[in-house]
Amino acid sequence: MNNTQKVTLTLRNGRFRLPGTARADDLNPKALLLYAAAQCAGLTVMGILGKENITPKTMEITAEGTLDTEKLQASSLFRSFRLSYNVECHTLSEQQAISQAINHAQEYACGMVAMLGYIAPVSHQIAIVSTETTKV
């Protein structure tokens, strides 16, 4: 069975942070690569949304990479990557803009995601919910 490394970042006070008191220098080098990709993707998405004056209520990005070894080793290589985006926005109309921003970051705008693609296949998934009810 292959080993999966995973890093999750949450948008807090305008910055993407590791959970709790964890810090980037606590991560192993493979997880640090995933951390950099999640940071880059998140900042890219937020930059695109900023041009449209959209600020999500919450955003969580998980970057996962599957290694070719059962246990983490210096010689382990990534065989695939997946970025998962979980976003809470204000309205239904923001959902479309956020989805487009994430897809644009994944496919064109984020250099780290592009670099991961030279190492192994990169996939992504998006989950967006709006929490404000529409007025009738």
Side-chain angles (χ1 to χ4, degrees):
M1 182 172 183
N2 289 337
N3 180 6
T4 300
Q5 296 287 294
K6 180 161 72 170
V7 173
T8 299
L9 302 179
T10 303
L11 182 64
R12 290 192 309 250
N13 300 321
R15 300 197 54 191
F16 287 93
R17 309 266 186 197
L18 289 165
T21 59
R23 296 173 18 167
D25 59 349
D26 296 332
L27 301 174
N28 69 60
K30 306 273 192 285
L32 198 54
L33 179 70
L34 299 173
Y35 169 84
Q39 274 285 358
C40 183
L43 293 173
T44 303
V45 169
M46 293 304 291
I48 294 167
L49 293 175
K51 292 177 184 176
E52 299 182 38
N53 293 318
I54 296 173
T55 303
K57 284 185 171 183
T58 63
M59 182 183 299
E60 180 181 274
I61 302 172
T62 300
E64 296 177 71
T66 302
L67 297 171
D68 64 349
T69 56
E70 270 189 50
K71 293 183 180 181
L72 179 63
Q73 302 170 12
S75 62
S76 299
L77 300 174
F78 283 108
R79 292 295 178 213
S80 65
F81 298 100
R82 181 173 66 187
L83 277 79
S84 301
Y85 299 83
N86 291 304
V87 185
E88 180 183 347
C89 62
H90 299 277
T91 64
L92 284 173
S93 62
E94 288 181 348
Q95 282 185 346
Q96 182 66 27
I98 292 170
S99 179
Q100 289 175 342
I102 291 170
N103 282 318
H104 186 72
Q106 275 291 136
E107 296 169 13
Y108 308 105
C110 178
M112 277 299 299
V113 172
M115 283 190 275
L116 292 183
Y118 286 105
I119 298 168
V122 180
S123 63
H124 71 283
Q125 63 183 29
I126 304 170
I128 305 172
V129 296
S130 59
T131 56
E132 292 182 8
T133 57
T134 55
K135 297 176 184 176
V136 179

